[in-house]
Amino acid sequence: MTACADGGISVAQSQTVVVKIGTSSLTKKTGYLAISVIATLVETLCALQNAGHRVILVSSGAVGVGCARLNLAERPKTISMKQAVAAVGQGRLMRVYDDFFTSLNQPIAQVLLTRTDLVQRSRYVNSYRTFRQLLQLKVIPIVNENDTVAIEELRFGDNDTLSAQVASLVGADWLFLLTDVDRLYSADPRSNPDAQPIHIVEHVEQLEDLQVQIGDRGSQWGTGGMLTKIEAARIAANAGVRTVITDGQHPENLIKILAGESLGTQFSPKKTVANARKRWIAQSLVPAGKLYLDAGAVKAIQTGGKSLLPAGITEIEGEFEQRSSVQLCDAQGQEIARGIVNYSHSELAQIMGHQSEEISKILGYTSSDTVVHRDNLVISQSL
């Protein structure tokens, strides 16, 4: 991608770009919207769209805007209050976006998601088709968690995680996390003058070797800190998406980064990526229980690419139904894989430790010879 003399940009090839902007970038300390930042963001996204890219915006800010609208001095603590305030702020936030995008003749669409939309396979596929159709129509989807109806157990919890899930869902090339620091540092640069900048991370696990200190707190109005951004980068990397953490006060830098400039911190994507179904199992489903396995079963799954049979199960934890997601753990409780079970917890309690040919005799029927088939199983290294 290169800059043009007329201020536009040209691209070598069309790419799918997901941009997440946080509340700390969208609002001032007073809680009111930072209009100049929004204007620059909109101009940048329209430039990318006009250059032939497919653009998705994941926007925080609904609760922050709602708080300002209701003259609240701090972010609500209870779920019901957050949902009410989000309902107040969401309409106002979309009104602002619509005014700015309309001034540049760019159509937008509001997409509100809950974790349930990505947990249920049919809704996951339908969400993908909706995004695909919107992008084909050259519409910029503006995504947020549907805070007004999401239940605590099935919430994304922060828009960093949501943006990574969306990037994985649509098979994006880039995920930009716009935040209140210009890149990842070895410590918080706002409180530690010795903090060292990190320009590129080849593997998320590398951060442990770099001794990076990662806080778990967001801003006064936001929910995500650097920890959630690292987790988002991990999810995106496993889906083959390159992630960039960069300064939300300067959205125009997105164009420079896509042109090759070294701004922000980049997380390299994995070269080998699981198929869409296995990414759904690994990243979208919420495990409902745990199965503890003997050493033979662990080896068969990790190195042999085998399915899990009832004979390899030593213990069951949790209550779950058939087709639920579960974690597969070794004797020490370390997760080695996760997958979709063919039997409920009560059925497994009867057949665990037995051979597959005994299932029919014990239960009176056989749903499957396997507890978790290898096609519905993802090794933890891919999570």
Side-chain angles (χ1 to χ4, degrees):
M1 174 182 290
T2 57
C4 298
D6 62 359
I9 53 178
S10 62
V11 300
Q13 65 182 56
S14 176
Q15 299 184 89
T16 301
V17 178
V18 176
V19 179
K20 181 266 177 178
I21 187 163
T23 301
S24 60
S25 302
L26 277 176
T27 59
K28 302 176 181 179
K29 291 182 179 179
T30 57
Y32 290 94
L33 288 172
I35 298 301
S36 61
V37 173
I38 295 176
T40 304
L41 173 67
V42 169
E43 288 179 346
T44 301
L45 298 187
C46 287
L48 293 174
Q49 181 82 5
N50 292 334
H53 292 302
R54 296 170 294 275
V55 180
I56 297 173
L57 173 62
V58 178
S59 178
S60 300
V63 174
V65 172
C67 287
R69 195 78 164 175
L70 297 171
N71 296 316
L72 299 179
E74 61 180 6
R75 188 180 178 88
K77 300 294 192 298
T78 66
I79 293 297
S80 59
M81 187 63 173
K82 286 178 186 176
Q83 291 175 323
V85 171
V88 172
Q90 190 64 42
R92 174 61 179 162
L93 183 62
M94 285 303 300
R95 166 79 182 274
V96 172
Y97 275 129
D98 190 53
D99 287 344
F100 276 102
F101 277 107
T102 298
S103 68
L104 296 177
N105 199 32
Q106 172 61 51
I108 62 173
Q110 182 180 29
V111 179
L112 296 176
L113 293 174
T114 65
R115 193 76 184 246
T116 307
D117 295 318
L118 301 186
V119 167
Q120 294 182 7
R121 182 64 182 171
S122 59
R123 293 170 71 168
Y124 180 90
V125 172
N126 189 57
S127 297
Y128 166 76
R129 290 172 177 166
T130 299
F131 277 112
R132 183 181 62 182
Q133 188 65 68
L134 287 170
L135 295 176
Q136 287 176 349
L137 292 170
K138 301 187 184 306
V139 172
I140 294 180
I142 299 181
V143 185
N144 200 351
E145 182 165 13
N146 196 351
D147 291 309
T148 58
V149 299
I151 59 174
E152 183 65 19
E153 294 81 2
L154 285 174
R155 295 186 71 244
F156 293 102
D158 61 85
N159 278 343
D160 295 321
T161 301
L162 172 60
S163 66
Q165 296 274 16
V166 170
S168 175
L169 171 69
V170 302
D173 300 287
W174 293 82
L175 169 62
F176 289 95
L177 301 175
L178 305 186
T179 185
D180 53 2
V181 293
D182 61 342
R183 56 171 51 92
L184 179 66
Y185 287 82
S186 58
D188 190 338
R190 295 168 294 189
S191 57
N192 188 338
D194 296 325
Q196 297 298 310
I198 298 172
H199 299 284
I200 188 163
V201 179
E202 293 293 346
H203 306 284
V204 177
E205 296 77 12
Q206 175 188 354
L207 293 175
E208 297 181 5
D209 299 330
L210 294 174
Q211 297 182 331
V212 175
Q213 299 174 20
I214 303 170
D216 59 355
R217 294 291 299 276
S219 67
Q220 175 188 5
W221 299 106
T223 57
M226 193 55 71
L227 184 62
T228 64
K229 291 167 181 57
I230 301 303
E231 175 61 16
R234 184 188 66 80
I235 293 172
N238 287 333
V241 182
R242 181 173 295 274
T243 301
V244 183
I245 295 175
T246 191
D247 188 0
Q249 295 299 310
H250 297 281
E252 68 275 12
N253 285 345
L254 300 187
I255 294 173
K256 298 177 182 178
I257 294 170
L258 288 171
E261 288 195 33
S262 180
L263 298 171
T265 299
Q266 293 196 19
F267 294 79
S268 299
K270 283 192 173 181
K271 293 181 174 62
T272 303
V273 179
N275 62 38
R277 179 175 176 80
K278 291 207 171 186
R279 293 203 309 272
W280 168 68
I281 294 171
Q283 299 167 359
S284 297
L285 297 185
V286 180
K290 294 182 179 180
L291 304 183
Y292 293 86
L293 316 182
D294 61 28
V298 170
K299 182 178 180 180
I301 289 171
Q302 285 186 320
T303 63
K306 303 294 186 180
S307 301
L308 174 62
L309 304 177
I313 302 173
T314 59
E315 185 181 347
I316 301 166
E317 183 178 308
E319 297 183 0
F320 48 86
E321 300 300 322
Q322 183 186 28
R323 310 302 297 169
S324 295
S325 170
V326 296
Q327 296 171 286
L328 308 184
C329 304
D330 60 20
Q332 289 72 44
Q334 181 72 33
E335 179 179 350
I336 60 124
R338 66 178 59 177
I340 300 175
V341 289
N342 293 320
Y343 292 94
S344 69
H345 71 280
S346 58
E347 292 169 323
L348 287 180
Q350 299 177 65
I351 64 174
M352 69 176 189
H354 292 274
Q355 300 299 315
S356 296
E357 52 267 26
E358 299 179 74
I359 295 176
S360 180
K361 181 178 178 181
I362 296 171
L363 297 180
Y365 54 89
T366 302
S367 295
S368 173
D369 290 339
T370 64
V371 174
V372 180
H373 192 274
R374 62 177 177 270
D375 291 343
N376 290 328
L377 187 151
V378 184
I379 305 300
S380 292
Q381 294 173 348
S382 303
L383 296 176

